[in-house]
């Protein structure tokens, strides 16, 4: 066997392994673009990382850890950053274009009640929701009791399992079930 044939066989084998290992047709979570959106909004506001972090009453390295280290922040941190930047927290967290509403700041305090309402409306126990969302069983209880504020990644998992909008669940922005609303609008004659 020639060296070229060996290389080709190895190359094709590698492609087969990669082809089997890569999930196809699965969308990236919405929060994956958060670091880029935060950077764009920060630059548009002409703010440095540290000044933005401090203005949002976060640790001085918070913005750097999100933008550079790709850390996933809590919904509370996102709301604080969005408030300083005058952008919708839903846009910052999930990329959904919404206007900034200063009166909406602070609605994350109602997140535990929204989660409990959506869970009970879906007929799920805390354990069933945790299993459906792929989160720790105790996490649901901690969020519903207000003991912890979840990350935007956790909110996205919970919203998907509950079939509600992550924007509504996290920040009370928009409709709880945007899919059903779009379906109704599509059915209406023009």
């Amino acid at each position: 066997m020639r060296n070229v044939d060996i290389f080709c066989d190895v190359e094709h084998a590698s492609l087969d392994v990669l082809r089997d290992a890569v999930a196809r047709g699965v969308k990236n979570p919405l929060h994956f673009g958060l670091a880029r959106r935060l950077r764009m909004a920060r630059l548009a506001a002409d703010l440095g990382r540290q000044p933005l972090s401090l203005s949002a009453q976060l640790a001085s390295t918070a913005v750097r850890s999100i933008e550079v280290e790709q850390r996933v922040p809590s919904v509370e941190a996102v709301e604080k950053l969005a408030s300083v930047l005058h952008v919708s927290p839903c846009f910052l967290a999930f990329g959904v274009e919404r206007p900034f509403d200063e009166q909406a700041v602070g609605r994350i305090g109602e997140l535990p009640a929204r989660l409990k309402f959506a869970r009970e409306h879906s007929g799920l126990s805390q354990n069933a929701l945790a299993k459906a969302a792929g989160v720790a069983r105790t996490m649901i209880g901690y969020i519903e009791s207000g003991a912890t504020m979840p990350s935007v990644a956790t909110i996205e998992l919970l919203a998907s399992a509950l079939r509600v909008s992550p924007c509504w669940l996290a920040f009370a922005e928009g409709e709880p079930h945007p899919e059903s609303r779009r379906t109704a609008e599509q059915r209406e004659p023009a």
Side-chain angles (χ1 to χ4, degrees), residues 3-144:
N3 286 344
V4 173
D5 293 335
I6 293 170
F7 177 75
C8 289
D9 289 343
V10 170
E11 182 179 332
H12 289 293
S14 300
L15 290 175
D16 289 339
V17 169
L18 283 175
R19 200 173 293 122
D20 293 340
V22 175
R24 298 197 182 274
V26 177
K27 286 177 61 174
N28 284 336
L30 298 172
H31 73 273
F32 273 20
L34 189 149
R36 181 181 46 78
R37 290 187 295 271
L38 175 59
R39 184 175 189 275
M40 288 175 16
R42 179 180 59 78
L43 292 175
D46 198 28
L47 283 170
R49 290 180 179 135
Q50 188 174 24
L52 174 56
S53 295
L54 296 174
S55 294
Q57 299 177 345
L58 299 171
S60 63
T61 58
V63 172
R64 182 186 185 289
S65 73
I66 297 167
E67 286 184 1
V68 176
E69 299 169 19
Q70 302 288 311
R71 297 221 175 152
V72 180
S74 70
V75 292
E76 182 177 29
V78 169
E79 184 184 66
K80 288 179 177 183
L81 291 166
S83 179
V84 171
L85 294 168
H86 294 294
V87 297
S88 159
C90 184
F91 167 73
L92 202 55
F94 306 114
V96 177
E97 293 283 343
R98 301 200 54 83
F100 174 68
D101 180 4
E102 195 157 338
Q103 294 178 347
V105 174
R107 288 188 188 158
I108 58 163
E110 303 160 3
L111 187 154
R114 282 191 301 277
L115 176 60
K116 184 174 182 177
F117 170 80
R119 179 182 59 76
E120 289 175 348
H121 184 72
S122 296
L124 296 173
S125 67
Q126 289 182 351
N127 289 343
L129 174 57
K131 186 174 182 177
V135 300
R137 171 177 68 77
T138 55
M139 177 63 73
I140 307 302
Y142 289 147
I143 297 170
E144 286 186 1

